[in-house]
């Protein structure tokens, strides 16, 4: 894998899964070999955004992630189907290690990881176990969201994790708040996705999703990744080893 991009933010419902799924789509449109790992073990939703029917993946010395629109997708949803997957403590760590260990990704230019909300077990394990991860931080201009995203940025900074930048989501009106947050942590502000009324209708239909105003804006935000997609990033240590 050349680069691992974890989409995070800390707060729930701010669009991490939408941005993860459609970022994978945007990268794969560019001909980049892309994987998408849904690390939300209790509420996976990338398969819903992309309209991927969950099925038990095929096994051959490991699990081959199902491919959808050229994206290699792995999620606990392939194993749990429509059943709930209540997990706590050690179970979270074990499920996460198993997903990471058994998946045969092959050669990828990008692995996009959809992080769960909060700074709980799954997030901390991902920080500990996934070497070379760079974080793309999602925020909205809501004061409630900013309060939590600021804590996430502080943690990532303290751990000296790589931060690709901050993306504002669900922008309804011009507000300097998210840009100000990026400045506060001296990380790039990558741009904003508008609040997009058409997203709900396009959910589950990749060709409709691809032409929504939100995904058009994400393409612009992601151009920083295309620009650097050619060369591999130097191998470093896990920020939380
Ligand atoms: N730019 C946007 N405009 C309108 N609706 C949006 C936008 N971004 C996300 N949404 C909607 O907001 C809801 C929450 O999005 P999503 O599931 O991606 O959030 P999340 O941060 O992954 O949540 P969780 O922390 O619970 O996993 C979804 O219904 C999604 O379609
Ligand atoms: Mg999510």
């Amino acid at each position: 894998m050349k680069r691992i991009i974890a989409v995070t933010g800390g707060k729930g419902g701010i669009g991490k899964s939408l941005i993860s799924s459609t970022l994978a789509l945007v990268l794969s449109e560019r001909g980049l070999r892309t994987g998408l790992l849904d690390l939300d073990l209790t509420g996976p939703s990338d398969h819903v955004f992309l309209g991927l029917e969950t099925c038990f993946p095929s096994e051959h010395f490991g699990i081959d992630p199902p491919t959808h629109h050229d994206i290699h997708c792995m999620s606990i949803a392939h194993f749990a189907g429509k059943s709930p997957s209540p997990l706590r403590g050690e179970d979270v760590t074990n499920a996460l290690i198993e997903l990471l260990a058994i998946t045969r990704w092959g050669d990828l230019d990008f692995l996009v990881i959809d992080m769960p909300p909060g700074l709980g077990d799954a997030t901390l394990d991902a920080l500990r176990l996934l070497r070379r991860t760079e974080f793309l931080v999602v925020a909205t201009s809501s004061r409630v969201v900013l309060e939590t995203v600021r804590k996430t940025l502080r943690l990532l900074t303290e751990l000296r994790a790589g931060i690709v930048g901050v993306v504002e989501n669900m922008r309804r009106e011009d507000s300097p708040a998210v840009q100000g947050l990026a400045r506060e942590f001296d990380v790039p502000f990558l741009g904003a996705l508008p609040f997009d009324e058409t997203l709900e209708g396009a959910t589950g239909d990749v060709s409709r999703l691809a032409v929504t105003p939100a995904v058009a804006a994400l393409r612009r935000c992601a151009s920083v990744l295309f620009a650097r997609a050619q060369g591999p990033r130097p191998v470093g240590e896990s920020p939380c080893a």
Side-chain angles (χ1 to χ4, degrees), residues 11-18 40 45 49 117 169-170 193-196 199-200 203 214:
K11 194 75 179 161
I14 56 176
K16 299 180 297 299
S17 298
L18 169 85
D40 194 334
S45 41
F49 279 113
N169 191 22
M170 303 192 202
L193 278 60
F195 185 88
D196 184 347
L199 268 182
E200 190 57 35
T203 292

Side-chain angles (χ1 to χ4, degrees), residues 39-121:
L39 266 195
D40 194 334
L41 299 176
T42 51
S45 41
D46 293 349
H47 62 290
V48 181
F49 279 113
L50 296 179
L52 171 60
E53 286 292 327
T54 57
C55 57
F56 203 89
S58 63
E59 272 181 81
H60 181 70
F61 299 113
I63 302 277
D64 295 320
T67 303
H68 190 60
H69 285 264
D70 280 340
I71 305 165
H72 303 281
C73 304
M74 183 48 95
S75 165
I76 198 168
H78 294 310
F79 305 94
K82 297 209 182 305
S83 310
S85 42
L87 295 168
R88 67 172 168 219
E90 210 180 318
D91 297 337
V92 174
T93 303
N94 290 339
L96 195 139
I97 289 175
E98 194 159 342
L99 269 189
L100 294 174
I102 61 175
T103 310
R104 290 158 43 98
W105 293 105
D107 290 333
L108 293 181
D109 292 308
F110 282 95
L111 176 65
V112 178
I113 304 182
D114 182 9
M115 298 292 279
L119 297 175
D121 288 315

Side-chain angles (χ1 to χ4, degrees), residues 1-7 18-37 50 68-72 107-114 134 136 164 190 206 210 215-231:
M1 275 168 209
K2 288 192 183 159
R3 295 182 70 184
I4 304 175
I5 309 289
V7 178
L18 169 85
I19 289 180
S20 304
S21 326
T22 53
L23 176 62
L25 202 59
V26 161
L27 292 167
S28 128
E29 277 171 6
R30 286 258 165 169
L32 296 159
R33 295 163 302 175
T34 306
L36 174 63
L37 172 61
L50 296 179
H68 190 60
H69 285 264
D70 280 340
I71 305 165
H72 303 281
D107 290 333
L108 293 181
D109 292 308
F110 282 95
L111 176 65
V112 178
I113 304 182
D114 182 9
E134 301 164 77
L136 190 152
V164 185
L190 303 180
V206 164
V215 175
L218 180 65
R219 264 186 211 98
R220 292 190 289 276
C221 299
S223 59
V224 64
L225 296 176
F226 310 145
R228 289 169 51 200
Q230 310 309 328

